Amino acid sequence: MSADDWLTDTRVSYDTVAASYLDITREALAKTPLLRGVLAMFAEAAREVGGPVADIGCGPGLITSHLHGLGLDVFGIDLSPRMVELAGHHHPDLRFHVGSMTNLDLADDSVGGVLAFYSIIHIPDHEIPTVLTHFQRVLRPGGVVMLGFHVGDRTRLKTEGYGGHPMSVHVHRRPVERVADWLRDADFTIEAQVLIGPDDDVPGGMLIARTKS
Ligand SMILES: C[S@@+](CC[C@H](N)C(=O)[O-])C[C@H]1O[C@@H](n2cnc3c(N)ncnc32)[C@H](O)[C@@H]1O
């Protein structure tokens, strides 16, 4: 088994579920005012920095489009070509590219903001420092990153999803402090920490952090 098999499995899994993922999540943001609130916090911070914003692990582009509606110059990147195709089809005014956050093909200091919304949940612990080093590298001085993730402390292999389609993807739940420490180790300063649904089985963790100016 090669070291990157997990990446191939993740790509194939999201290619398989892309259409049903879009159907199932299409209305999600409209029904979750608190998530819209946290995204608005990120948008305010990114707008102040200026420059384009990268939505990394953008899926079918629902959040990308929402951020565009909040006035950001935003583009999306996703590992799954099918997700990128769907995103481009439904949001022809926005730019979407295939790529991996583990090998981010963006120039140094080129973006004011990076959003990774429920996409680092598929990155194994040993690859997180590489991902955050890329985020640090592509952000302008004083740029902001927001990470959204499942809170907990376990990893499970998801073998089907989004209407019973086959998947083979690891889903990592992490304590907020562990993710915050990874950001600090990558030279980010944490500026906000929000826990959505602390009484839920799997709360949502949101961290907004900034590079040095
Ligand atoms: C749970 S979905 C979230 C999609 C979107 N951010 C949203 O909130 O609707 C996870 C997405 O992350 C993408 N992804 C997983 N690993 C990735 C990687 N290494 N680089 C870029 N995207 C990745 C998947 O293809 C999938 O579209």
Short mmCIF file of all heavy atoms in Angstrom, two decimals, residues 137-184:
data_model
loop_
_atom_site.label_atom_id
_atom_site.label_comp_id
_atom_site.label_asym_id
_atom_site.label_seq_id
_atom_site.Cartn_x
_atom_site.Cartn_y
_atom_site.Cartn_z
N ARG A 137 2.25 29.45 4.00
CA ARG A 137 3.06 29.91 2.85
C ARG A 137 2.24 30.74 1.87
O ARG A 137 2.70 31.76 1.37
CB ARG A 137 3.63 28.66 2.13
CG ARG A 137 4.41 28.95 0.86
CD ARG A 137 4.87 27.67 0.17
NE ARG A 137 3.79 26.82 -0.31
CZ ARG A 137 3.03 27.08 -1.38
NH1 ARG A 137 3.24 28.17 -2.08
NH2 ARG A 137 2.08 26.23 -1.74
N VAL A 138 1.00 30.30 1.58
CA VAL A 138 0.22 30.99 0.53
C VAL A 138 -0.48 32.24 1.05
O VAL A 138 -0.89 33.10 0.26
CB VAL A 138 -0.82 30.05 -0.14
CG1 VAL A 138 -0.11 28.83 -0.72
CG2 VAL A 138 -1.94 29.64 0.79
N LEU A 139 -0.62 32.36 2.39
CA LEU A 139 -1.29 33.53 2.95
C LEU A 139 -0.35 34.73 2.99
O LEU A 139 0.84 34.60 3.28
CB LEU A 139 -1.77 33.22 4.38
CG LEU A 139 -3.10 32.47 4.46
CD1 LEU A 139 -3.28 31.87 5.87
CD2 LEU A 139 -4.29 33.39 4.13
N ARG A 140 -0.93 35.89 2.70
CA ARG A 140 -0.19 37.14 2.87
C ARG A 140 0.12 37.36 4.36
O ARG A 140 -0.59 36.83 5.21
CB ARG A 140 -1.06 38.31 2.43
CG ARG A 140 -1.38 38.31 0.97
CD ARG A 140 -2.29 39.48 0.69
NE ARG A 140 -2.53 39.56 -0.73
CZ ARG A 140 -3.28 40.48 -1.32
NH1 ARG A 140 -3.88 41.41 -0.59
NH2 ARG A 140 -3.43 40.50 -2.61
N PRO A 141 1.09 38.20 4.66
CA PRO A 141 1.29 38.58 6.06
C PRO A 141 -0.01 39.13 6.63
O PRO A 141 -0.69 39.93 5.98
CB PRO A 141 2.37 39.66 5.98
CG PRO A 141 3.12 39.35 4.71
CD PRO A 141 2.09 38.80 3.75
N GLY A 142 -0.39 38.68 7.80
CA GLY A 142 -1.64 39.13 8.44
C GLY A 142 -2.87 38.44 7.88
O GLY A 142 -4.00 38.80 8.24
N GLY A 143 -2.68 37.43 7.02
CA GLY A 143 -3.82 36.71 6.43
C GLY A 143 -4.51 35.80 7.44
O GLY A 143 -3.92 35.46 8.48
N VAL A 144 -5.76 35.44 7.12
CA VAL A 144 -6.54 34.64 8.07
C VAL A 144 -6.90 33.28 7.50
O VAL A 144 -7.18 33.14 6.31
CB VAL A 144 -7.85 35.35 8.51
CG1 VAL A 144 -7.56 36.47 9.47
CG2 VAL A 144 -8.67 35.81 7.33
N VAL A 145 -6.88 32.30 8.39
CA VAL A 145 -7.33 30.95 8.05
C VAL A 145 -8.49 30.59 8.97
O VAL A 145 -8.50 30.99 10.13
CB VAL A 145 -6.18 29.93 8.18
CG1 VAL A 145 -5.65 29.84 9.60
CG2 VAL A 145 -6.61 28.55 7.71
N MET A 146 -9.47 29.89 8.42
CA MET A 146 -10.50 29.31 9.28
C MET A 146 -10.60 27.82 9.01
O MET A 146 -10.71 27.40 7.84
CB MET A 146 -11.86 29.96 9.07
CG MET A 146 -12.93 29.32 9.96
SD MET A 146 -14.38 30.37 10.14
CE MET A 146 -15.65 29.24 9.64
N LEU A 147 -10.53 27.04 10.07
CA LEU A 147 -10.69 25.59 9.99
C LEU A 147 -12.01 25.21 10.65
O LEU A 147 -12.30 25.66 11.78
CB LEU A 147 -9.55 24.88 10.73
CG LEU A 147 -8.12 25.23 10.32
CD1 LEU A 147 -7.13 24.43 11.18
CD2 LEU A 147 -7.89 24.94 8.84
N GLY A 148 -12.83 24.42 9.96
CA GLY A 148 -14.04 23.83 10.55
C GLY A 148 -13.85 22.33 10.60
O GLY A 148 -13.38 21.74 9.62
N PHE A 149 -14.20 21.70 11.73
CA PHE A 149 -13.91 20.27 11.86
C PHE A 149 -14.83 19.62 12.90
O PHE A 149 -15.45 20.32 13.71
CB PHE A 149 -12.44 20.05 12.27
CG PHE A 149 -12.01 20.85 13.49
CD1 PHE A 149 -12.03 20.28 14.74
CD2 PHE A 149 -11.63 22.19 13.36
CE1 PHE A 149 -11.64 21.02 15.86
CE2 PHE A 149 -11.26 22.93 14.47
CZ PHE A 149 -11.26 22.35 15.72
N HIS A 150 -14.92 18.30 12.86
CA HIS A 150 -15.68 17.55 13.85
C HIS A 150 -14.86 17.47 15.14
O HIS A 150 -13.68 17.10 15.11
CB HIS A 150 -15.93 16.11 13.38
CG HIS A 150 -16.78 16.01 12.15
ND1 HIS A 150 -17.99 16.64 12.02
CD2 HIS A 150 -16.61 15.31 11.00
CE1 HIS A 150 -18.53 16.35 10.85
NE2 HIS A 150 -17.70 15.56 10.20
N VAL A 151 -15.53 17.76 16.26
CA VAL A 151 -14.83 17.71 17.55
C VAL A 151 -15.06 16.35 18.21
O VAL A 151 -16.17 15.81 18.19
CB VAL A 151 -15.32 18.86 18.45
CG1 VAL A 151 -14.71 18.76 19.84
CG2 VAL A 151 -14.95 20.20 17.82
N GLY A 152 -14.01 15.82 18.77
CA GLY A 152 -14.05 14.51 19.44
C GLY A 152 -12.64 13.99 19.51
O GLY A 152 -11.68 14.76 19.36
N ASP A 153 -12.50 12.69 19.66
CA ASP A 153 -11.15 12.14 19.69
C ASP A 153 -11.17 10.70 19.18
O ASP A 153 -10.83 9.77 19.91
CB ASP A 153 -10.58 12.21 21.12
CG ASP A 153 -9.06 12.07 21.12
OD1 ASP A 153 -8.48 11.93 20.02
OD2 ASP A 153 -8.45 12.10 22.20
N ARG A 154 -11.62 10.54 17.96
CA ARG A 154 -11.61 9.21 17.36
C ARG A 154 -11.60 9.33 15.83
O ARG A 154 -11.95 10.38 15.28
CB ARG A 154 -12.80 8.37 17.82
CG ARG A 154 -14.15 8.92 17.44
CD ARG A 154 -15.27 7.95 17.78
NE ARG A 154 -15.45 7.00 16.70
CZ ARG A 154 -16.65 6.58 16.27
NH1 ARG A 154 -17.76 7.03 16.83
NH2 ARG A 154 -16.76 5.71 15.29
N THR A 155 -11.17 8.25 15.21
CA THR A 155 -11.16 8.18 13.74
C THR A 155 -11.98 6.96 13.34
O THR A 155 -11.87 5.91 13.96
CB THR A 155 -9.71 8.00 13.24
OG1 THR A 155 -8.99 9.20 13.53
CG2 THR A 155 -9.67 7.77 11.74
N ARG A 156 -12.84 7.16 12.33
CA ARG A 156 -13.58 5.99 11.85
C ARG A 156 -13.47 5.92 10.33
O ARG A 156 -13.25 6.94 9.67
CB ARG A 156 -15.03 6.03 12.30
CG ARG A 156 -15.87 7.01 11.55
CD ARG A 156 -17.29 7.08 12.11
NE ARG A 156 -18.03 8.11 11.40
CZ ARG A 156 -18.84 7.87 10.36
NH1 ARG A 156 -19.03 6.65 9.93
NH2 ARG A 156 -19.46 8.86 9.74
N LEU A 157 -13.59 4.71 9.83
CA LEU A 157 -13.59 4.51 8.38
C LEU A 157 -15.03 4.54 7.91
O LEU A 157 -15.84 3.71 8.31
CB LEU A 157 -12.94 3.17 8.04
CG LEU A 157 -12.91 2.82 6.55
CD1 LEU A 157 -12.05 3.81 5.77
CD2 LEU A 157 -12.41 1.39 6.33
N LYS A 158 -15.34 5.55 7.08
CA LYS A 158 -16.70 5.67 6.53
C LYS A 158 -16.75 4.83 5.26
O LYS A 158 -16.00 5.08 4.32
CB LYS A 158 -16.94 7.16 6.25
CG LYS A 158 -18.37 7.52 5.86
CD LYS A 158 -18.47 9.05 5.76
CE LYS A 158 -19.80 9.45 5.17
NZ LYS A 158 -20.57 10.32 6.02
N THR A 159 -17.63 3.84 5.24
CA THR A 159 -17.67 2.93 4.08
C THR A 159 -18.86 3.19 3.17
O THR A 159 -18.96 2.59 2.10
CB THR A 159 -17.70 1.46 4.55
OG1 THR A 159 -18.80 1.28 5.45
CG2 THR A 159 -16.41 1.09 5.24
N GLU A 160 -19.79 4.04 3.63
CA GLU A 160 -20.86 4.47 2.72
C GLU A 160 -21.39 5.81 3.22
O GLU A 160 -21.20 6.18 4.38
CB GLU A 160 -21.98 3.43 2.65
CG GLU A 160 -22.70 3.19 3.94
CD GLU A 160 -24.03 2.46 3.72
OE1 GLU A 160 -24.09 1.55 2.87
OE2 GLU A 160 -25.00 2.84 4.38
N GLY A 161 -22.06 6.53 2.33
CA GLY A 161 -22.59 7.81 2.77
C GLY A 161 -23.41 8.49 1.69
O GLY A 161 -23.44 8.05 0.53
N TYR A 162 -24.10 9.53 2.11
CA TYR A 162 -24.86 10.40 1.21
C TYR A 162 -25.81 9.59 0.32
O TYR A 162 -25.75 9.66 -0.91
CB TYR A 162 -23.92 11.30 0.40
CG TYR A 162 -23.00 12.09 1.30
CD1 TYR A 162 -21.67 11.72 1.46
CD2 TYR A 162 -23.50 13.14 2.06
CE1 TYR A 162 -20.85 12.41 2.34
CE2 TYR A 162 -22.68 13.82 2.95
CZ TYR A 162 -21.36 13.45 3.07
OH TYR A 162 -20.57 14.12 3.96
N GLY A 163 -26.65 8.79 1.00
CA GLY A 163 -27.64 8.02 0.27
C GLY A 163 -27.19 6.59 0.02
O GLY A 163 -27.72 5.93 -0.88
N GLY A 164 -26.22 6.11 0.79
CA GLY A 164 -25.82 4.71 0.71
C GLY A 164 -24.78 4.39 -0.35
O GLY A 164 -24.57 3.23 -0.69
N HIS A 165 -24.13 5.41 -0.87
CA HIS A 165 -23.09 5.17 -1.88
C HIS A 165 -21.81 4.67 -1.21
O HIS A 165 -21.48 5.10 -0.11
CB HIS A 165 -22.79 6.46 -2.65
CG HIS A 165 -23.98 6.98 -3.39
ND1 HIS A 165 -24.41 6.43 -4.58
CD2 HIS A 165 -24.84 7.96 -3.10
CE1 HIS A 165 -25.48 7.06 -5.00
NE2 HIS A 165 -25.77 8.01 -4.11
N PRO A 166 -21.06 3.80 -1.92
CA PRO A 166 -19.83 3.29 -1.30
C PRO A 166 -18.77 4.38 -1.15
O PRO A 166 -18.58 5.21 -2.05
CB PRO A 166 -19.35 2.21 -2.28
CG PRO A 166 -20.03 2.52 -3.57
CD PRO A 166 -21.32 3.22 -3.24
N MET A 167 -18.13 4.40 0.00
CA MET A 167 -17.03 5.33 0.26
C MET A 167 -15.96 4.54 1.01
O MET A 167 -16.25 3.51 1.62
CB MET A 167 -17.47 6.52 1.14
CG MET A 167 -18.55 7.40 0.55
SD MET A 167 -18.94 8.83 1.62
CE MET A 167 -17.68 10.02 1.11
N SER A 168 -14.74 5.05 0.95
CA SER A 168 -13.68 4.49 1.79
C SER A 168 -12.83 5.67 2.22
O SER A 168 -11.85 6.03 1.56
CB SER A 168 -12.86 3.47 1.00
OG SER A 168 -11.80 3.01 1.81
N VAL A 169 -13.26 6.28 3.30
CA VAL A 169 -12.61 7.52 3.70
C VAL A 169 -12.56 7.59 5.22
O VAL A 169 -13.54 7.27 5.90
CB VAL A 169 -13.36 8.73 3.08
CG1 VAL A 169 -14.78 8.85 3.56
CG2 VAL A 169 -12.64 10.02 3.29
N HIS A 170 -11.40 7.94 5.73
CA HIS A 170 -11.27 8.10 7.18
C HIS A 170 -11.80 9.48 7.59
O HIS A 170 -11.52 10.47 6.91
CB HIS A 170 -9.83 7.92 7.63
CG HIS A 170 -9.39 6.49 7.62
ND1 HIS A 170 -8.74 5.92 6.54
CD2 HIS A 170 -9.55 5.50 8.53
CE1 HIS A 170 -8.51 4.64 6.80
NE2 HIS A 170 -8.99 4.35 7.99
N VAL A 171 -12.56 9.51 8.67
CA VAL A 171 -13.09 10.76 9.20
C VAL A 171 -12.50 10.93 10.60
O VAL A 171 -12.72 10.10 11.48
CB VAL A 171 -14.64 10.74 9.26
CG1 VAL A 171 -15.15 12.08 9.76
CG2 VAL A 171 -15.23 10.40 7.90
N HIS A 172 -11.75 12.02 10.75
CA HIS A 172 -11.04 12.26 12.02
C HIS A 172 -11.79 13.30 12.84
O HIS A 172 -12.08 14.40 12.34
CB HIS A 172 -9.62 12.78 11.75
CG HIS A 172 -8.81 11.89 10.85
ND1 HIS A 172 -8.15 10.78 11.31
CD2 HIS A 172 -8.59 11.93 9.51
CE1 HIS A 172 -7.53 10.18 10.30
NE2 HIS A 172 -7.78 10.86 9.19
N ARG A 173 -12.10 12.95 14.10
CA ARG A 173 -12.62 13.93 15.05
C ARG A 173 -11.48 14.31 15.98
O ARG A 173 -10.73 13.43 16.43
CB ARG A 173 -13.75 13.33 15.89
CG ARG A 173 -14.93 12.88 15.06
CD ARG A 173 -15.99 12.26 15.95
NE ARG A 173 -17.02 11.64 15.14
CZ ARG A 173 -17.97 10.84 15.61
NH1 ARG A 173 -18.02 10.55 16.90
NH2 ARG A 173 -18.88 10.34 14.80
N ARG A 174 -11.38 15.61 16.27
CA ARG A 174 -10.23 16.06 17.07
C ARG A 174 -10.66 17.02 18.17
O ARG A 174 -11.57 17.83 17.96
CB ARG A 174 -9.23 16.81 16.19
CG ARG A 174 -8.25 15.90 15.47
CD ARG A 174 -8.35 16.04 13.98
NE ARG A 174 -7.38 15.17 13.33
CZ ARG A 174 -7.17 15.13 12.03
NH1 ARG A 174 -7.83 15.95 11.23
NH2 ARG A 174 -6.30 14.30 11.52
N PRO A 175 -9.96 16.99 19.31
CA PRO A 175 -10.20 18.01 20.33
C PRO A 175 -9.78 19.38 19.78
O PRO A 175 -8.78 19.49 19.06
CB PRO A 175 -9.29 17.59 21.49
CG PRO A 175 -8.88 16.18 21.21
CD PRO A 175 -8.93 16.02 19.71
N VAL A 176 -10.53 20.41 20.16
CA VAL A 176 -10.22 21.76 19.66
C VAL A 176 -8.79 22.16 20.02
O VAL A 176 -8.06 22.73 19.18
CB VAL A 176 -11.23 22.79 20.25
CG1 VAL A 176 -10.84 24.21 19.86
CG2 VAL A 176 -12.64 22.47 19.76
N GLU A 177 -8.36 21.85 21.23
CA GLU A 177 -7.01 22.27 21.66
C GLU A 177 -5.91 21.63 20.81
O GLU A 177 -4.87 22.24 20.58
CB GLU A 177 -6.78 21.96 23.14
CG GLU A 177 -7.00 23.15 24.05
CD GLU A 177 -6.40 24.49 23.52
OE1 GLU A 177 -5.18 24.55 23.32
OE2 GLU A 177 -7.17 25.44 23.28
N ARG A 178 -6.16 20.39 20.33
CA ARG A 178 -5.14 19.74 19.50
C ARG A 178 -4.99 20.50 18.18
O ARG A 178 -3.86 20.77 17.72
CB ARG A 178 -5.50 18.28 19.22
CG ARG A 178 -4.41 17.54 18.46
CD ARG A 178 -4.76 16.09 18.23
NE ARG A 178 -5.06 15.42 19.48
CZ ARG A 178 -5.84 14.34 19.59
NH1 ARG A 178 -6.40 13.81 18.53
NH2 ARG A 178 -6.06 13.79 20.77
N VAL A 179 -6.12 20.88 17.60
CA VAL A 179 -6.06 21.60 16.31
C VAL A 179 -5.45 22.99 16.54
O VAL A 179 -4.63 23.47 15.74
CB VAL A 179 -7.46 21.68 15.67
CG1 VAL A 179 -7.40 22.42 14.33
CG2 VAL A 179 -8.04 20.28 15.47
N ALA A 180 -5.83 23.63 17.66
CA ALA A 180 -5.26 24.95 17.96
C ALA A 180 -3.74 24.84 18.12
O ALA A 180 -2.99 25.70 17.63
CB ALA A 180 -5.91 25.52 19.22
N ASP A 181 -3.28 23.80 18.79
CA ASP A 181 -1.82 23.63 18.97
C ASP A 181 -1.12 23.38 17.62
O ASP A 181 -0.01 23.89 17.39
CB ASP A 181 -1.52 22.49 19.93
CG ASP A 181 -1.71 22.92 21.38
OD1 ASP A 181 -1.74 24.15 21.65
OD2 ASP A 181 -1.85 22.04 22.26
N TRP A 182 -1.76 22.65 16.73
CA TRP A 182 -1.17 22.45 15.39
C TRP A 182 -1.02 23.80 14.70
O TRP A 182 0.00 24.05 14.04
CB TRP A 182 -2.05 21.53 14.55
CG TRP A 182 -1.90 20.06 14.84
CD1 TRP A 182 -0.79 19.41 15.32
CD2 TRP A 182 -2.90 19.05 14.65
NE1 TRP A 182 -1.06 18.07 15.42
CE2 TRP A 182 -2.32 17.82 15.02
CE3 TRP A 182 -4.21 19.07 14.19
CZ2 TRP A 182 -3.02 16.60 14.96
CZ3 TRP A 182 -4.92 17.86 14.11
CH2 TRP A 182 -4.32 16.66 14.50
N LEU A 183 -2.06 24.66 14.83
CA LEU A 183 -1.97 25.98 14.20
C LEU A 183 -0.83 26.80 14.82
O LEU A 183 -0.05 27.44 14.11
CB LEU A 183 -3.30 26.72 14.36
CG LEU A 183 -4.43 26.30 13.41
CD1 LEU A 183 -5.78 26.80 13.91
CD2 LEU A 183 -4.18 26.83 11.99
N ARG A 184 -0.73 26.77 16.14
CA ARG A 184 0.36 27.52 16.81
C ARG A 184 1.72 26.99 16.36
O ARG A 184 2.63 27.77 16.09
CB ARG A 184 0.22 27.41 18.34
CG ARG A 184 -1.01 28.10 18.88
CD ARG A 184 -1.06 28.05 20.42
NE ARG A 184 -2.30 28.60 20.90
CZ ARG A 184 -3.33 27.88 21.37
NH1 ARG A 184 -3.23 26.56 21.50
NH2 ARG A 184 -4.45 28.47 21.76
#
